[in-house]
Every structure is written in structure tokens, then in C-alpha cells.
């Protein structure tokens, strides 16, 4: 797309706004004689499909997005199931690992600790300041399950924002991928001459805290209409900075809140099927988590508040949840533990440490087993068969990303439960044929939530992202299954419908923002539900 630079003034200072301009018709003879968009779309898909490695496809799509954004998003929307694993997990994991090697051109803002004291100057260099609405910010310290990747985390911000555009129709020019460079403890990268980030270890906590304060303050100053999504911060910092900023700025943490919402939604739909088979009420479900980090605890909190909504007391709700970390079952008498685990530490277990997952399953007798541990294969045949012996329809969600870190694979879960499993994974798996039936795996990934949640928060100009808004996104997603999807036992809707789903979620999020009084676009309050949905759909950008 070509652009024009239009002068404008802020506080008497002249600035330049970058505006898109329809390209002039190409001069005769400088394009082939037969060239039209529809055929070119076929050509692009053929070029994409001619590549056999995921990372090659990723590179091709990145260059297509740069060269012809409209074509990229048009094809993405038409081929969601094919594009998502390429621009997002699992391939984005490889793109992050190799970012410094496959880097072609900058995309987004890199801000390093060296810029402390002048972060505002860096932000002012962004060419589309007035249009900025959503930023995905990572410090690269826990990228998917791949650990500390430093500035190689940038593709995660880029990938999530591409899904905001494709999935919720946020204007591409309103998105800002940001990667903060606070050093890295990844020795391999520090020794790599091609590594794009600072060659230093991560800075101490107090330096990071001062940097984050300045960063958020300058973000709010320069981008007053911006919603910030924190992504893939290491566990402790994920909780710390969500807590520090969520009541001061419109910000949410995708790994804690987005994951909590998407898993609650899938759990609800799975639990209905499971309860129908077992005759147990929803509130009788016992949920065992392998992994008690930002995602595990985020999901556990979301489930607890759901159980409370169902009428359980806080104590009863918390009692339905069991967490396991690298030391085994988390219980109070185990000794000192990280702050974020304490709330869920079991008060009713007094024995020796329980570390073997099969033994823990035998003790807990869970109806649902959720994996957010990054431990490939942790749901062994023994564990899955135990779940199948305990439950007519066991709920098994191996949610770790990327796909090679999944706690088990779909075909294993199908085989070991004789096709009875209710399954969702973080990254996609292919469907399976079982005894003449096609079984479909769910993809329990926060990508179903953040586009709609973000769109709703942006459109009503929410001053904060409240828990009730996140919960509304989750329940909205659960309700968005069609009859046909339910008849196939799906627990998440088909990805091809992501735009409809996002509109549905955004509408519910706006209503909750209004109920909480955090909506600044108060004129939306007077719209009926139908008018509000219509407004949301009208606002979506289309390629
Ligand atoms: N599907 C989705 O939408 C999402 C998936 N994820 C995925 O979830 C995974 C975890 O993310 P996150 O919570 O942020 O990461 P964290 O690093 O915060 O947490 C990982 C947790 O796993 C535990 N763990 C590590 N090894 C073992 C082991 N051998 N046995 C049992 N537990 C173990 C850790 O224990 P300890 O505390 O003792 O170190 C920790 O509690 C990642 O793969 C990530 O990609 C994350 C967000 C969204
Ligand atoms: C999906 C996601 O946010 C993660 O794996 O970290
Ligand atoms: Mg994440």
C-alpha cells in the first residue's frame, strides 16, 4: 500500500501522519498483460502450499503481509484453519527461536533498558500514533513453553496482533507489536553473533520495575486510546505487573486472564457432555492441573469464580481444584511456596509429598485433567487410562504450547480412552477416525478470547479490563456454539466463524464494561443489544 504524509499539529508542534492512499494504476507495460486479484490470490496460495516447511511458509506469509496486507488478510480469513498454525502456534514458536536468523525487516517497537529515561522519545517515533488502539507487549521471558527468548519474542506480539486483525477486524494500522529488551538469560542467544537483542543478562527486579513504571506511563501519555495486552512474561512478573497496572491503565494479561477465559469456556461445554454421561452436577467436577504457573493459576482462578457463580461458597469452589507443580501436589504443609500458588494449596492433605501423576490421579479422582506444564508426554498411557477408568467421558486438556510440548497427543487420548475423551489442546491436532466416527479435537487457546475481548474494550473505550468483562468473554464463547457444532460434540466453535464469535464476545464485554462503569464511550449505553452487535460488526475492518 502506498502512503501520503499529512501534516497536523499537536500543542503547536507539527507532526506527520501516515495515511494510506489507493495505489495509482500501474503504468502500462510494468505489470504482466493478464493480472487480476482473484487469480493472484490463487497464485499466492499455490506459492504458499509449494513450501514444505512451516518456517518457510511463515517467512512467505510475513513478506506477503508486508507487500500486500489486503491480500494477506483476505487469504487468512478465507483459510483460517490453514493460516492460524502458521502465523501463530505452533509455527510462531519456531519463528521466535529463529527470529534473529530469519529477520528481514523491523515490524513493531523494540525498547531496551538502555532507553530508560527516554522511552517517550522512542514511542514518538511510531508513525501512526493517533491510530494506535491495541498493543501486545512481551519481554520475551517465557515465550510459549520455550522459555527465555529475549527479543526473539517479537514474533509472538506480531502473531497475536495478526489474529486481532483477522479474528476481530481491528484495523492493521491500529496495532503495535512491542518487545521489551531487558536482557536475556539465554546463554545460547548471548553467544550468537546474529542475536538481535542486548548482550546482557536480565536486569534485576527493581530495575525492571522502574522501567515498567516509565513504560506504562509513557504509553498512556502517547497513546491515550490504547489497550495493552501483556504476553508471555515469566510467571512472577506476569502476576506482578498485572496487579501493578490493572487498576491504573486499560491492560490485561493474556496468559492469566485470556487463558482462564478460554479454558473455562471449553470446560463448561465439555463438563455438560461429561455430566450428561455421569449424571453428576457441574459443581461436582474435580479439576486437576499439571502446571501451576501464570496459565495454570489463571485458569484455576477463573474456574473458582465460575463455581461461585453456580452457588458454591468460596471454600467449596476452591476445594474442587488441585494443583501440581514440578514438586508434586501443592499442599499447605509442603513448606514455603511462591505467592501465586498459596491460595490453591490444599489444606486437607497431610501425607508425604505426592509426586507421581498417576498416584495423584488416584488420590484426587478428578473428572478433568488440565496440562499447563510444558512437559511433553506427561499425560502417559497409564494416566489417561486411569482417567478413562474413573469417568465415562474424561475431560483431558493438554494445553501447553507449542505442539511438541503438549502433555499428550489427540490420537493417544482417543486410543487410550476408546474414543470417550473430551479433548482440547493448546496447539492444533488433526481429527481422528474412531470406530467409524470422526472425532474432533478442540483448540483451547486464548486466541478465541483476546480478539473479541480486545475489540469490546477498545470500542467502549474501557478505562480498565474488569474480571467481569473477562468472564463475559468466556461465557460468551461457551454460548456461541451452534446446534451443528454441539451435535458433533465440539467444545469450541469452528475457527472459520471467528469474526462472528468475536462480535458476540465484544458485545457482551461492552455490556459488562457499562455495568462496571468503566466504559468511556457512554453513547453506546443507549443502544439495544441488536443495535450494539450491529455497531460492533460495522466497526470491523475488512480486507
Ligand atoms: N492454551 C493456551 O491458550 C495457553 C497455553 N499456555 C502454555 O502453558 C504452558 C505454561 O505456561 P505458564 O503457566 O505461563 O508457564 P509457567 O512457567 O508460569 O508455569 C509452568 C508450570 O509448570 C510446572 N512444571 C514444570 N515442570 C513440571 C513437571 N515436571 N511436573 C509438573 N509441573 C511442572 C511449573 O512448576 P514450578 O512452579 O514448580 O516451576 C510451573 O508451575 C506453556 O507451554 C504455555 O505455552 C500458556 C498460556 C495460554
Ligand atoms: C497461547 C499462549 O498465549 C501461550 O502459549 O503462551
Ligand atoms: Mg502467551
Amino acid at each position: 500500500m502506498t502512503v501520503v504524509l499529512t501534516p497536523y499539529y499537536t500543542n503547536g508542534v507539527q507532526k506527520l501522519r501516515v495515511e494510506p492512499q489507493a495505489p495509482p494504476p500501474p503504468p502500462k507495460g510494468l505489470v504482466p498483460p493478464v493480472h487480476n486479484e482473484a487469480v493472484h490470490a490463487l497464485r499466492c496460495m499455490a506459492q504458499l502450499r509449494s513450501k514444505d516447511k512451516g518456517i518457510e511458509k511463515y517467512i512467505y506469509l510475513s513478506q506477503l503481509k508486508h507487500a500486500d496486507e489486503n491480500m494477506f488478510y483476505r487469504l487468512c480469513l478465507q483459510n483460517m484453519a490453514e493460516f492460524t498454525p502458521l502465523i501463530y502456534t505452533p509455527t510462531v514458536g519456531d519463528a521466535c527461536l529463529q527470529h534473529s536468523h530469519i529477520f528481514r525487516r523491523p515490524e513493531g517497537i523494540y525498547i531496551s533498558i538502555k532507553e530508560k529515561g527516554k522511552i517517550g522519545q522512542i514511542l514518538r517515533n511510531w508513525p501512526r500514533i493517533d491510530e494506535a488502539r491495541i498493543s501486545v507487549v512481551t519481554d520475551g521471558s517465557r515465550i510459549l513453553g520455550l522459555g527465555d527468548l529475549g527479543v526473539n519474542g517479537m514474533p509472538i506480539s506480531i502473531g497475536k496482533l495478526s489474529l486481532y486483525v483477522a479474528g476481530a477486524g481491528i484495523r492493521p494500522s491500529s496495532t503495535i507489536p512491542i518487545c521489551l529488551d531487558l536482557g536475556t538469560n539465554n546463554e545460547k542467544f548471548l553467544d550468537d553473533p546474529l542475536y538481535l537483542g542486548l548482550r546482557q543478562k536480565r536486569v534485576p527486579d527493581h530495575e525492571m520495575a522502574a522501567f515498567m513504571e516509565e513504560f506504562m506511563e509513557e504509553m498512556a501519555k502517547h497513546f491515550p486510546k490504547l489497550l495493552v495486552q501483556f504476553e508471555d512474561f515469566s510467571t512472577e512478573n506476569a502476576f506482578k505487573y498485572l496487579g501493578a497496572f490493572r487498576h491504573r491503565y486499560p491492560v490485561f494479561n493474556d496468559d492469566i486472564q485470556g487463558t482462564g477465559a478460554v479454558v473455562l469456556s471449553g470446560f463448561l461445554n465439555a463438563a455438560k457432555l461429561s455430566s450428561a454421561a455421569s449424571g453428576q452436577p457441574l459443581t461436582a467436577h474435580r479439576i486437576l492441573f499439571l502446571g501451576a504457573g501464570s496459565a495454570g493459576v489463571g485458569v484455576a482462578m477463573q474456574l473458582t469464580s465460575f463455581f461461585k457463580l453456580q452457588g458454591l461458597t468460596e471454600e467449596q469452589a476452591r476445594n474442587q481444584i488441585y494443583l501440581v507443580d514440578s514438586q508434586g501436589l501443592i499442599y499447605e504443609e509442603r513448606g514455603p511456596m511462591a505467592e501465586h500458588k498459596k491460595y490453591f494449596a490444599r489444606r486437607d492433605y497431610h501425607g508425604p509429598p505426592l509426586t507421581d501423576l498417576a498416584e495423584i490421579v488416584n488420590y484426587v479422582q478428578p473428572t478433568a485433567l488440565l496440562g499447563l506444564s510444558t512437559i511433553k508426554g506427561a499425560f502417559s498411557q497409564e494416566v489417561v487410562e486411569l482417567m478413562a477408568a474413573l469417568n465415562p467421558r474424561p475431560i483431558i486438556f493438554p494445553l501447553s504450547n507449542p505442539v511438541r510440548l503438549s502433555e499428550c497427543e489427540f490420537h493417544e487420548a482417543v486410543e487410550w480412552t476408546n474414543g470417550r475423551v473430551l479433548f482440547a489442546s493448546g496447539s492444533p491436532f488433526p481429527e481422528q477416525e474412531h470406530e467409524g466416527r470422526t472425532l474432533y479435537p478442540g483448540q483451547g487457546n486464548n486466541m478465541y478470547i483476546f480478539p473479541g475481548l480486545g475489540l469490546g474494550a477498545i470500542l467502549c473505550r474501557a478505562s480498565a479490563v474488569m474480571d467481569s468483562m473477562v468472564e463475559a468473554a468466556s461465557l460468551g464463547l461457551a454460548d456461541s456454539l451452534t446446534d451443528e457444532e454441539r451435535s458433533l460434540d465440539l467444545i469450541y466453535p469452528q475457527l472459520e466463524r471467528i469474526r462472528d464469535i468475536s462480535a458476540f464476545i465484544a458485545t457482551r464485554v461492552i455490556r459488562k464494561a457499562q455495568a462496571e462503569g468503566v466504559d468511556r464511550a457512554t453513547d453506546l449505553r443507549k443502544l439495544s443489544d441488536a443495535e450494539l452487535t450491529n455497531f460492533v460488526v460495522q466497526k470491523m475492518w475488512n480486507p
Side-chain angles (χ1 to χ4, degrees):
M1 162 139 1
T2 53
V3 293
V4 283
L5 296 177
T6 314
Y8 72 104
Y9 292 86
T10 301
N11 298 332
V13 180
Q14 193 198 42
K15 295 182 178 175
L16 291 175
R17 177 184 291 134
V18 184
E19 288 180 322
Q21 191 186 46
K28 271 197 180 317
L30 299 191
V31 288
V34 181
H35 184 81
N36 72 54
E37 287 281 301
V39 176
H40 193 54
L42 295 176
R43 185 177 295 113
C44 290
M45 287 309 292
Q47 289 177 3
L48 174 68
R49 288 170 182 161
S50 73
K51 303 187 185 305
D52 50 12
K53 289 202 185 89
I55 193 72
E56 296 296 336
K57 294 185 187 214
Y58 178 92
I59 294 169
Y60 173 74
L61 289 177
S62 298
Q63 81 76 30
L64 178 62
K65 186 165 79 166
H66 178 75
D68 190 348
E69 196 169 70
N70 276 292
M71 180 65 78
F72 170 81
Y73 282 112
R74 177 142 72 101
L75 294 178
C76 185
L77 275 168
Q78 287 167 357
N79 303 279
M80 272 313 271
E82 182 173 350
F83 269 48
T84 317
L86 298 173
I87 60 175
Y88 187 51
T89 180
T91 310
V92 76
D94 293 331
C96 288
L97 287 166
Q98 300 178 43
H99 181 58
S100 294
H101 287 244
I102 63 174
F103 179 82
R104 304 298 205 261
R105 66 183 73 78
E107 188 177 350
I109 308 181
Y110 294 84
I111 309 173
S112 87
I113 189 72
K114 305 277 184 223
E115 265 95 46
K116 172 91 185 62
K118 26 184 203 298
I119 294 176
Q121 285 174 31
I122 306 283
L123 297 181
R124 276 196 291 280
N125 290 336
W126 185 248
R128 298 178 293 273
I129 286 199
D130 290 349
E131 288 182 69
R133 294 292 179 278
I134 172 80
S135 179
V136 174
V137 178
T138 186
D139 72 342
S141 54
R142 191 287 277 147
I143 296 296
L144 305 173
L146 302 168
D148 180 356
L149 302 189
V151 297
N152 275 21
M154 181 57 114
I156 215 66
S157 295
I158 295 170
K160 295 255 175 188
L161 286 166
S162 294
L163 292 183
Y164 267 104
V165 177
I170 305 286
R171 273 193 310 275
S173 55
S174 297
T175 66
I176 318 181
I178 296 187
C179 190
L180 307 175
D181 187 356
L182 300 161
T184 179
N185 295 338
N186 186 322
E187 295 290 351
K188 197 169 147 227
F189 288 175
L190 290 173
D191 291 341
D192 180 353
L194 296 189
Y195 177 60
L196 285 159
L198 290 178
R199 243 151 268 275
Q200 68 171 60
K201 294 265 182 183
R202 284 197 176 267
V203 299
D205 289 349
H206 68 275
E207 265 185 62
M208 177 168 179
F211 177 91
M212 290 301 292
E213 278 294 335
E214 179 186 335
F215 170 68
M216 288 303 286
E217 198 180 316
E218 294 294 334
M219 289 282 276
K221 203 189 294 172
H222 288 84
F223 307 118
K225 294 186 177 168
L226 193 77
L227 171 70
V228 172
Q229 169 171 326
F230 284 151
E231 189 68 45
D232 290 3
F233 281 70
S234 58
T235 323
E236 205 180 310
N237 288 333
F239 286 106
K240 173 172 169 181
Y241 292 111
L242 176 63
F245 296 123
R246 66 175 305 185
H247 300 295
R248 288 193 272 159
Y249 305 109
V251 59
F252 73 100
N253 181 295
D254 188 37
D255 298 293
I256 299 172
Q257 297 166 287
T259 314
V262 80
V263 177
L264 168 60
S265 172
F267 169 78
L268 260 175
N269 285 327
K272 283 181 193 153
L273 294 169
S274 160
S275 289
S278 69
Q280 284 190 342
L282 271 187
T283 47
H285 279 273
R286 281 180 309 285
I287 301 139
L288 175 61
F289 287 78
L290 186 72
S294 53
V297 170
V299 175
M301 294 190 305
Q302 195 68 63
L303 283 167
T304 308
S305 74
F306 169 73
F307 281 131
K308 280 175 20 196
L309 269 186
Q310 301 301 303
L312 297 192
T313 64
E314 176 155 352
E315 189 59 23
Q316 288 167 333
R318 181 170 58 178
N319 254 330
Q320 303 306 105
I321 298 208
Y322 296 76
L323 297 187
V324 175
D325 63 8
S326 62
Q327 312 299 311
L329 182 72
I330 300 181
Y331 61 103
E332 246 181 10
E333 288 170 15
R334 198 178 82 175
M337 65 184 74
E339 203 51 44
H340 64 274
K341 298 178 184 172
K342 287 183 181 161
Y343 179 80
F344 290 104
R346 299 296 304 186
R347 281 99 177 127
D348 55 358
Y349 180 78
H350 307 287
L354 275 181
T355 52
D356 177 65
L357 186 57
E359 214 178 307
I360 298 172
V361 170
N362 263 324
Y363 168 69
V364 174
Q365 309 247 313
T367 56
L369 177 62
L370 312 190
L372 290 146
S373 67
T374 75
I375 304 298
K376 181 186 165 46
F379 296 170
S380 63
Q381 183 166 357
E382 182 189 9
V383 166
V384 173
E385 284 178 353
L386 268 175
M387 288 296 293
L390 290 168
N391 302 284
R393 306 266 348 237
I395 299 172
I396 301 183
F397 288 3
L399 296 162
S400 289
N401 293 318
V403 77
R404 64 189 161 79
L405 298 182
S406 190
E407 286 82 0
C408 71
E409 305 208 356
F410 184 46
H411 72 91
E412 296 172 327
V414 168
E415 200 181 307
W416 298 337
T417 62
N418 198 20
R420 287 183 284 128
V421 71
L422 293 160
F423 181 96
S425 53
S427 301
F429 280 110
E431 57 207 40
Q432 294 292 315
E433 293 302 320
H434 181 79
E435 296 181 350
R437 275 194 318 143
T438 307
L439 304 181
Y440 300 93
Q443 192 177 353
N445 192 296
N446 47 33
M447 71 177 171
Y448 273 111
I449 291 288
F450 63 76
L453 174 62
L455 179 66
I458 290 169
L459 290 181
C460 73
R461 297 224 40 234
S463 57
V465 179
M466 309 300 281
D467 287 338
S468 64
M469 293 159 67
V470 178
E471 188 166 78
S474 175
L475 302 181
L477 175 61
D479 284 350
S480 69
L481 282 181
T482 60
D483 290 344
E484 194 199 340
E485 287 164 344
R486 286 186 198 280
S487 74
L488 294 171
D489 275 8
L490 299 194
I491 51 182
Y492 290 104
Q494 282 166 329
L495 206 48
E496 284 71 16
R497 297 200 304 111
I498 186 76
R499 283 272 173 124
D500 293 345
I501 298 159
S502 296
F504 191 68
I505 291 176
T507 308
R508 293 204 174 187
V509 167
I510 293 172
R511 284 289 185 240
K512 280 293 173 202
Q514 292 168 344
E516 296 274 5
V518 295
D519 60 319
R520 287 176 290 185
T522 48
D523 50 324
L524 301 184
R525 291 181 187 179
K526 63 178 187 290
L527 300 184
S528 68
D529 286 351
E531 286 168 337
L532 186 58
T533 304
N534 198 29
F535 167 82
V536 169
V537 173
Q538 294 298 318
K539 281 287 176 188
M540 287 181 168
W541 175 86
N542 286 299

